[in-house]
Amino acid sequence: PHSMPVFSGTLSPDQSVIDGWGTKPLLAFAGIGRPQRFFATLGRAGVNLVQWHGFADHHPYSAADLAALQADANHHAAQLITTEKDWMRLPLAWRDQIAYLPVTMEIDDLSGLIMRLQKGCNATGKLSAPKDGTASNDANGSKDDAEGTGVVDG
């Protein structure tokens, strides 16, 4: 089979949002493939992360989940924070109470990606399927066990 090109990049958190939080305690939660990466990003950014909860990818947050997270946040006098992906899937009534960390994807070889996309477009401007019929879900094809909880003693 024909080899598909792989393009990589780096997600960079919005530093102005991070700076806006200052030393405010944050309680993070995420239902993404690797929530520990989100928590590590927050840690590297130097935020005051007092607790975190990892959920399975695409976790459907119930009213009970959100109430429990809010109770934990209240216990720590913390602001709830999640990924932008999770924030978009929250019920509208909860969005005003939960912050998210905006990120920007920086593609390592952007011009190569653009060239490849242009090359793959047919005359109508739509992407044509690869001739060998292959498809790919993600860059590494794996999924970590993503659930977990953490607390920082302070």
Side-chain angles (χ1 to χ4, degrees), residues 23-137:
T23 61
K24 179 181 229 173
L26 300 177
L27 188 148
F29 68 96
I32 57 177
R34 295 182 182 144
Q36 64 276 14
R37 286 187 176 183
F38 174 60
F39 308 140
T41 296
L42 290 169
R44 281 190 307 274
V47 303
N48 183 8
L49 188 59
V50 296
Q51 190 171 5
W52 59 92
H53 295 276
F55 294 88
D57 198 14
H58 302 283
H59 179 75
Y61 296 105
S62 67
D65 291 332
L66 296 169
L69 288 166
Q70 186 64 63
D72 283 348
N74 291 345
H75 175 76
H76 293 284
Q79 167 68 53
L80 284 172
I81 173 125
T82 192
T83 66
E84 191 168 5
K85 173 189 166 191
D86 281 317
W87 186 86
M88 291 298 296
R89 295 184 313 105
L90 292 173
L92 292 175
W94 280 91
R95 290 186 187 175
D96 286 342
Q97 302 169 57
I98 300 172
Y100 65 87
L101 178 61
V103 294
T104 302
M105 172 63 100
E106 298 170 9
I107 306 291
D108 294 335
D109 180 14
L110 183 57
S111 61
L113 175 61
I114 291 169
M115 185 176 75
R116 182 69 179 189
L117 288 171
Q118 290 171 336
K119 197 178 195 184
C121 287
N122 62 25
T124 65
K126 295 181 181 174
L127 282 176
S128 55
K131 291 186 180 12
D132 65 359
T134 60
S136 174
N137 288 335

